[in-house]
Amino acid sequence: MKTLRNVRRSSPEVPSTNLRWRCTPAMIGVDRIEDVTPLEAIIGQDRALRALALGLDIQQNGYNIFVTGFSGTGRTTTIKRLLREVEGRPAQLTDKCYVHNFRDPDSPIMITLPAGKGMAFKKDMAGFLTELMKAIPAVFESRRYAEQRKDTLEHFQQRQRTVLREFEKRVRERGFEVVQVQAGGGTRPEIAPVFEGNPTSMEQLHARVDSGEITADDLKRMEAQHTELEKQMDLIMREMRNIERKAKKSLEDLNHRIIVPVVDESLEDLRQRYPIQRVQEYLNDVETDVLENLHRFQQREEPQQGILAFTAQREEEPFQEYQVNVIVDNTDTPGTPVIIESNPRFKNLFGTIERVVDRNGMLRSDFTRVKAGSMLKADGGFLVINAIDALTESGVWNTLKRVLRNRQLEIQAFDGGLFGVTTALKPEPIDINVKVIMVGDSQIYQLLFGLDEDFKKIFKVRADFDVEMSNDAKSIGSYVSFIKTLCEHEQLLPFEVSAAAEVIEYGARLAGQQKKLSTRFSVLADVLREASYWATRENATRVNGAHVRTAIRERIERVNMLEEKIQEMIMDGSIMIDTEARVVGQVNGLSVYQLAEHEFGRPSRITAKTSMGRAGIINIEREASMSGPTHNKGVLILSGYLRWMYAQDKPLVLSASLAFEQSYSGVDGDSASSTEIYALLSSLGGLPLRQDLAVTGSVNQHGEIQPIGGVNQKIEGFFDVCNARGLTGTQGVLIPKQNVQDLMLRHDVVEAVANKQFHVYAISSVDEGIELLTGKPAGTRKAGGLFTAGSVHARVDARLREFARKQKSFGR
């Protein structure tokens, strides 16, 4: 009979040298970190850099950039550095101004001027207005104007007097008189008959007929003449009004004739300075408005005092329509504008129209209240915003899409208040050319790409920042340069080569693979700062490897309260975990707890109970609605494995239950599927399993062990439990063979393995795992379909055959 030594496969134990990648001084290549050249390039993001370069250079519509990646991978730093290079490029920038629309005051006109000309135009218009306010009153007060005005008025007044004299003469010849009578607040002319040398009313004449002083025929004749004369007087009054209108027109012509040269002289200089069609059209409208409203320049307002002065400030400014509202001034912009909007609210991005309260308590607005946002200020350049901020701010995302799609911005007042107060002001839209760089994560990108049809049309470039890079000489050199750069910029203590090696090894630990290094430089920078702190606490002049280890340990201890509480519960028996002896149908599985700042591994007791029946494998976690989809899939795979291994020559008559004992928060993931197979085989074969071993790894229907995540945390979790109870030299962990390349275990775990106090086994199949756990050969299928006698598979197969026979017998 062959002994166990003869049938067991070669030991799959992983040597301590393979449990952690070591960064040696030779790999660093320098004796002193101070001799290293500071970092200039961006580390480990070649793919993202190429995408960013493409997006920054292509000017066609839609080539905006969406930057994805985990926080801390240098996304924002990289963008800022690239845009600093872009800022130096020359660009044809413009100033943007809103002016009054004399035809439609609610639609202010946009005027675009070369950079630096906007404020000059505003000052020139202010100077023009000041000049008019002095020149026009001076012209009106001049002797020449007074004489011409007097002559004009006297001319028309003389015509009126002539007409009146001729009419009054005709009236007197007929025995009547033109008199003025009181009417309301003034007088009006009337025709009155003359009787006995005095004007008399028609009512008095009627009375004289009754007294016999005049005859009825005389009265009738006088009434007829009175009616005729009144008609003539109406014609005369109409002619008088016509003369007044002509007088007014003559005065206006006089005003224009005298003022037009003054206005033209002032505007001619502006027309020559700004030979732009929009400006010329606006100046023409200004000239027309000035000439139509000369009376405003003739009025001299007395300065207000006290409360009246305060109220007057809240009213519309005089001659406001001649002002210029410069909303974008690029006078001091040296090159391509770059705006990083850290608070992308609607008005901050797209501008707004402010409103003020007048003396009546009413909200009002005008073109001088139009304000630009970051989008307009970045015209001709680049705008950087955060995706989450843009998506959560009301109205921002839809407006951003519309602006980028149409390349046109319409400034409007966005009111999210209770009553939604808006303004009728509708400024003229502005054509813009802005490249937007949005920073987010991959999940947001995928959601927008799948749910928003416009997204893929306006964000055609994705710059994806990786969390890891190859662990090679170039990357190690970049790490060392990064350490030197941060120490210089933040005045940290100099790092020794041993300290740099620890930081690089920690980078491999963060990456989760020996062949990779992490690009989460924000985390690494924190480790450097804290290592310098601990070195300072010890009054050291340089940071060594021990200080880096202290910094890493302290970072974990700040956030591992839950880990310690669970450890205490395991030690006092509240959470039942065996680390010695053997038990049938019970295995120590390994799981990872993921918190916001910390993740750690801890063992969990997994049990299996089997019996004859048709229920198959019952996932107790699923029945209790505490199992995730991936765990459910893993349990279903177990059924496939059992059918493939044992149900080729007989029906699978089995009822089995699987449970994560003392699990109250739900289970997901398939990393425990191999553990559940071992528990099932142990229960079916009646074979006790070693409790000093813990297991992790998923399994497929062929019985092959597949790699899992969090392998370092899982190993360390079981090690901490064993170490707290006392290492026996037999304890260890079974992991998938493919995960050996991911091992970056803590120094204390590596030391325990090197001293044969703890063991790590790398396996590739269920057979290897069951042999380690039971101490018996797994067995192979022979030609007749049976398994090797005395093997694990033979015992399981025999039990399943027994179940099948009993089920058949029981059925009869």
Side-chain angles (χ1 to χ4, degrees):
M1 180 177 179
K2 296 182 180 180
T3 64
L4 179 61
R5 177 181 297 274
N6 292 331
V7 299
R8 183 179 293 177
R9 298 172 175 80
S10 59
S11 175
E13 184 170 359
V14 181
S16 61
T17 54
N18 293 346
L19 299 181
R20 181 184 179 91
W21 171 76
R22 300 281 187 175
C23 179
T24 64
M27 295 177 181
I28 294 177
V30 293
D31 296 329
R32 286 164 34 95
I33 303 300
E34 293 93 318
D35 299 333
V36 176
T37 303
L39 180 69
E40 297 295 339
I42 297 165
I43 304 175
Q45 302 295 350
D46 294 341
R47 177 188 292 103
L49 288 175
R50 289 196 301 271
L52 284 170
L54 173 73
L56 294 178
D57 290 339
I58 293 183
Q59 299 303 316
Q60 278 75 13
N61 193 20
Y63 280 86
N64 299 290
I65 306 169
F66 197 100
V67 180
T68 58
F70 285 99
S71 177
T73 54
R75 299 173 304 175
T76 305
T77 303
T78 300
I79 293 169
K80 289 180 179 178
R81 182 174 298 180
L82 291 177
L83 292 180
R84 276 198 297 269
E85 300 174 1
V86 173
E87 277 184 308
R89 298 179 185 174
Q92 293 183 346
L93 303 180
T94 59
D95 292 344
K96 296 173 176 59
C97 316
Y98 272 115
V99 295
H100 181 68
N101 188 340
F102 293 96
R103 296 177 179 85
D104 184 3
D106 286 338
S107 300
I109 297 172
M110 165 57 54
I111 291 180
T112 302
L113 298 170
K117 293 291 186 180
M119 293 304 296
F121 182 52
K122 179 177 182 177
K123 292 178 182 178
D124 288 343
M125 283 300 299
F128 161 75
L129 179 60
T130 302
E131 185 177 342
L132 287 188
M133 293 175 67
K134 294 179 180 178
I136 292 178
V139 170
F140 285 140
E141 293 171 3
S142 66
R143 181 177 180 181
R144 176 189 172 194
Y145 173 77
E147 291 177 350
Q148 293 185 12
R149 187 175 189 278
K150 179 181 179 182
D151 292 342
T152 301
L153 290 175
E154 286 182 350
H155 169 72
F156 286 98
Q157 289 172 356
Q158 181 62 37
R159 287 183 58 185
Q160 286 180 328
R161 287 194 293 269
T162 301
V163 171
L164 285 174
R165 281 198 301 268
E166 293 177 353
F167 178 67
E168 289 175 349
K169 181 180 179 182
R170 291 197 301 271
V171 170
R172 284 195 295 270
E173 289 176 350
R174 295 195 179 191
F176 288 84
E177 186 78 32
V178 178
V179 296
Q180 299 292 329
V181 298
Q182 292 293 328
T187 61
R188 61 180 176 83
E190 278 193 2
I191 305 295
V194 178
F195 185 78
E196 295 180 351
N198 296 316
T200 305
S201 66
M202 295 303 296
E203 291 78 6
Q204 290 175 336
L205 288 180
H206 281 281
R208 293 181 183 276
V209 172
D210 295 338
S211 64
E213 295 180 47
I214 61 173
T215 64
D217 291 338
D218 290 337
L219 178 60
K220 186 175 182 181
R221 176 180 55 79
M222 292 177 70
E223 286 180 340
Q225 290 179 343
H226 182 268
T227 301
E228 181 182 354
L229 289 174
E230 280 190 335
K231 292 180 179 179
Q232 292 180 12
M233 188 176 68
D234 289 341
L235 295 176
I236 293 300
M237 297 308 297
R238 189 179 302 172
E239 184 177 355
M240 294 291 287
R241 288 192 295 269
N242 188 39
I243 293 173
E244 287 180 358
R245 282 195 294 270
K246 290 180 179 180
K248 183 179 180 181
K249 180 64 170 58
S250 296
L251 287 176
E252 290 177 354
D253 292 342
L254 173 63
N255 291 343
H256 279 228
R257 190 167 60 253
I258 293 180
I259 298 301
V260 163
V262 176
V263 178
D264 278 343
E265 183 180 354
S266 300
L267 286 176
E268 185 59 31
D269 184 45
L270 290 176
R271 290 190 173 102
Q272 291 180 3
R273 289 189 192 180
Y274 305 98
I276 300 171
Q277 182 179 356
R278 268 296 176 95
V279 177
Q280 298 291 317
E281 293 173 354
Y282 171 67
L283 294 178
N284 292 337
D285 291 341
V286 169
E287 181 177 17
T288 301
D289 189 76
V290 169
L291 296 177
E292 290 177 352
N293 297 278
L294 290 175
H295 63 280
R296 296 178 60 193
F297 293 89
Q298 293 176 275
Q299 297 174 357
R300 290 185 176 272
E301 297 184 358
E302 295 296 329
Q304 301 291 335
Q305 301 294 330
I307 187 66
L308 293 178
F310 174 76
T311 305
Q313 291 176 0
R314 300 172 63 185
E315 290 296 313
E316 183 176 338
E317 297 180 11
F319 304 107
Q320 189 179 69
E321 60 269 32
Y322 305 131
Q323 296 181 9
V324 177
N325 180 14
V326 182
I327 61 173
V328 175
D329 178 20
N330 281 313
T331 303
D332 299 324
T333 306
T336 302
V338 174
I339 305 289
I340 299 177
E341 182 53 74
S342 58
N343 184 18
R345 300 173 61 189
F346 187 92
K347 69 175 184 178
N348 291 347
L349 270 182
F350 308 112
T352 187
I353 304 174
E354 296 178 346
R355 293 183 292 276
V356 294
V357 181
D358 61 18
R359 68 172 64 180
N360 298 318
M362 301 296 294
L363 289 172
R364 66 172 183 83
S365 186
D366 54 69
F367 75 98
T368 64
R369 304 291 177 181
V370 179
K371 306 297 179 183
S374 301
M375 179 71 71
L376 193 56
K377 294 177 182 177
D379 185 27
F382 303 90
L383 175 65
V384 183
I385 57 177
N386 182 274
I388 286 289
D389 293 340
L391 291 169
T392 53
E393 287 289 342
S394 179
V396 167
W397 176 243
N398 287 331
T399 306
L400 178 64
K401 290 192 301 178
R402 184 165 57 251
V403 170
L404 294 180
R405 185 174 60 245
N406 302 328
R407 307 188 83 169
Q408 192 176 71
L409 173 64
E410 181 177 340
I411 298 178
Q412 55 185 311
F414 180 80
D415 297 279
L418 179 62
F419 300 105
V421 180
T422 59
T423 175
L425 210 63
K426 185 178 174 62
E428 183 179 6
I430 309 167
D431 293 331
I432 63 171
N433 180 23
V434 178
K435 181 85 68 175
V436 172
I437 303 172
M438 184 172 284
V439 182
D441 57 37
S442 298
Q443 185 178 7
I444 294 176
Y445 178 87
Q446 296 297 341
L447 286 173
L448 291 173
F449 193 90
L451 300 177
D452 194 326
E453 286 297 322
D454 292 328
F455 176 76
K456 61 190 71 174
K457 298 176 184 177
I458 58 178
F459 284 95
K460 295 183 178 181
V461 179
R462 177 185 182 184
D464 196 9
F465 278 68
D466 202 350
V467 295
E468 60 188 24
M469 60 184 179
S470 298
N471 186 354
D472 52 27
K474 179 181 177 182
S475 299
I476 292 174
S478 298
Y479 257 63
V480 177
S481 295
F482 169 74
I483 295 172
K484 170 65 180 301
T485 302
L486 191 71
C487 290
E488 282 190 355
H489 286 179
E490 301 192 9
Q491 289 79 48
L492 304 181
L493 291 178
F495 275 58
E496 294 181 355
V497 172
S498 63
E502 286 290 342
V503 172
I504 296 170
E505 290 179 20
Y506 185 64
R509 165 84 176 202
L510 287 177
Q513 296 185 57
Q514 295 182 3
K515 297 180 180 180
K516 298 289 183 180
L517 291 177
S518 175
T519 58
R520 296 173 60 190
F521 288 101
S522 64
V523 177
L524 296 171
D526 290 341
V527 171
L528 295 177
R529 297 181 185 106
E530 293 171 25
S532 177
Y533 165 79
W534 291 112
T536 303
R537 284 281 299 269
E538 295 180 2
N539 295 321
T541 58
R542 301 170 66 82
V543 179
N544 58 35
H547 296 138
V548 176
R549 292 189 190 184
T550 301
I552 295 171
R553 183 179 64 254
E554 291 290 335
R555 285 174 60 84
I556 294 174
E557 289 183 359
R558 290 199 297 268
V559 295
N560 71 340
M561 180 183 294
L562 178 61
E563 181 181 7
E564 291 183 354
K565 295 296 183 183
I566 294 177
Q567 177 75 5
E568 292 175 2
M569 295 174 71
I570 292 175
M571 296 307 296
D572 64 21
S574 299
I575 298 178
M576 295 184 289
I577 298 293
D578 293 330
T579 55
E580 296 180 5
R582 295 170 181 258
V583 180
V584 174
Q586 177 177 300
V587 189
N588 288 323
L590 296 173
S591 56
V592 175
Y593 292 74
Q594 292 185 337
L595 307 178
E597 302 171 287
H598 181 51
E599 61 178 14
F600 60 94
R602 276 294 176 263
S604 299
R605 175 180 288 182
I606 298 175
T607 59
K609 295 298 180 180
T610 56
S611 67
M612 181 180 67
R614 295 284 187 180
I617 299 177
I618 300 172
N619 178 5
I620 293 179
E621 311 301 324
R622 179 185 179 187
E623 298 302 316
S625 299
M626 297 176 64
S627 177
T630 308
H631 180 248
N632 292 337
K633 177 184 177 182
V635 174
L636 294 174
I637 287 175
L638 303 187
S639 300
Y641 171 78
L642 292 177
R643 287 192 295 270
W644 172 68
M645 282 294 294
Y646 306 112
Q648 302 300 310
D649 55 357
K650 57 185 174 300
L652 187 62
V653 180
L654 173 67
S655 290
S657 60
L658 292 171
F660 276 71
E661 304 294 348
Q662 293 183 288
S663 172
Y664 308 108
S665 58
V667 176
D668 201 6
D670 62 349
S671 63
S673 56
S674 64
T675 311
E676 292 165 330
I677 278 189
Y678 300 141
L680 283 172
L681 297 181
S682 170
S683 178
L684 287 169
L687 296 168
L689 302 178
R690 293 174 57 182
Q691 301 302 297
D692 56 358
L693 296 179
V695 181
T696 185
S698 68
V699 68
N700 60 28
Q701 294 187 110
H702 298 290
E704 297 169 328
I705 304 298
Q706 302 172 140
I708 42 81
V711 63
N712 292 299
Q713 290 80 7
K714 291 177 178 179
I715 294 173
E716 292 165 357
F718 190 65
F719 172 82
D720 289 340
V721 173
C722 295
N723 189 44
R725 290 179 173 176
L727 296 175
T728 63
T730 63
Q731 297 147 333
V733 174
L734 277 63
I735 65 171
K737 190 173 184 178
Q738 299 93 324
N739 282 122
V740 172
Q741 63 181 353
D742 303 332
L743 294 176
M744 281 297 297
L745 295 174
R746 295 194 317 246
H747 291 281
D748 57 339
V749 181
V750 175
E751 184 179 351
V753 172
N755 294 332
K756 301 300 181 181
Q757 296 176 307
F758 195 76
H759 306 272
V760 177
Y761 302 98
I763 61 175
S764 58
S765 67
V766 170
D767 288 355
E768 292 182 58
I770 199 67
E771 288 180 354
L772 284 168
L773 289 167
T774 62
K776 296 185 179 295
T780 57
R781 191 185 298 275
K782 297 186 295 184
L786 299 178
F787 291 95
T788 306
S791 66
V792 174
H793 290 314
R795 294 177 65 112
V796 173
D797 187 63
R799 175 62 62 87
L800 291 174
R801 288 181 184 276
E802 181 182 356
F803 284 169
R805 287 195 302 270
K806 289 183 176 180
Q807 178 72 21
K808 182 178 179 180
S809 174
F810 184 78
R812 286 199 299 271

